[in-house]
Amino acid sequence: MSKYAKLLLELINRSGSHMTAEQLFLELKKTEPKVVQATVYNNLNALCQEGMIRRLSIAGSPDRYDKIQKHDHLVCKKCGALSDISLEDLTEKLEKQLGGSILSYDLKVFYLCPKCREEK
């Protein structure tokens, strides 16, 4: 694993937020001024392919990156806020319904966050 991949993995695993590639680039640049954006994108892609991080894709928003620990997400339909939520693991139920194994699933629950509900 490259030096930058290790640093990005550390940033993602200790972050409480779901950072975009741009945010990760700016954060990494603070300690590694010579890093370029292409290096960040290439390393994020490699980390995703190796199953070390998750890419969260939400229509109309840039991809965000997250730790691999099993958890699900709440996504505000109005402001796009993204937060973690721990729900029951559905793997066994899904496999039973499908009649076979699944590799993984990514559950996103869309709602209005408390701030947006107040504004409404």
Side-chain angles (χ1 to χ4, degrees), residues 13 51-54 66-71:
N13 282 331
M52 299 182 83
I53 61 172
R54 293 169 37 171
D66 198 5
K67 50 188 137 295
I68 202 69
Q69 277 177 300
K70 174 65 187 113
H71 63 280

Side-chain angles (χ1 to χ4, degrees), residues 26-39:
L26 293 173
E27 191 62 32
L28 188 57
K29 195 124 175 104
K30 291 176 185 176
T31 57
E32 301 294 327
K34 292 184 179 184
V35 71
V36 296
Q37 241 176 350
T39 299

Side-chain angles (χ1 to χ4, degrees), residues 10-98:
E10 287 173 15
L11 276 172
I12 291 165
N13 282 331
R14 75 168 183 253
S15 171
S17 63
H18 305 86
M19 295 172 29
T20 64
E22 177 73 19
Q23 290 168 324
L24 286 162
F25 167 69
L26 293 173
E27 191 62 32
L28 188 57
K29 195 124 175 104
K30 291 176 185 176
T31 57
E32 301 294 327
K34 292 184 179 184
V35 71
V36 296
Q37 241 176 350
T39 299
V40 169
Y41 279 100
N42 290 337
N43 281 283
L44 288 172
N45 286 332
L47 288 168
C48 285
Q49 287 177 351
E50 293 170 23
M52 299 182 83
I53 61 172
R54 293 169 37 171
R55 182 188 331 265
L56 301 172
S57 297
I58 300 166
S61 297
D63 287 346
R64 300 180 197 185
Y65 297 87
D66 198 5
K67 50 188 137 295
I68 202 69
Q69 277 177 300
K70 174 65 187 113
H71 63 280
D72 301 301
H73 295 96
L74 291 171
V75 182
C76 180
K77 274 298 251 185
K78 185 172 180 187
C79 72
L82 183 65
S83 58
D84 294 340
I85 186 171
S86 293
L87 300 171
E88 171 191 0
D89 186 351
L90 300 173
T91 303
E92 191 175 310
K93 289 180 181 178
L94 291 169
E95 288 179 340
K96 189 175 180 179
Q97 278 190 339
L98 295 172

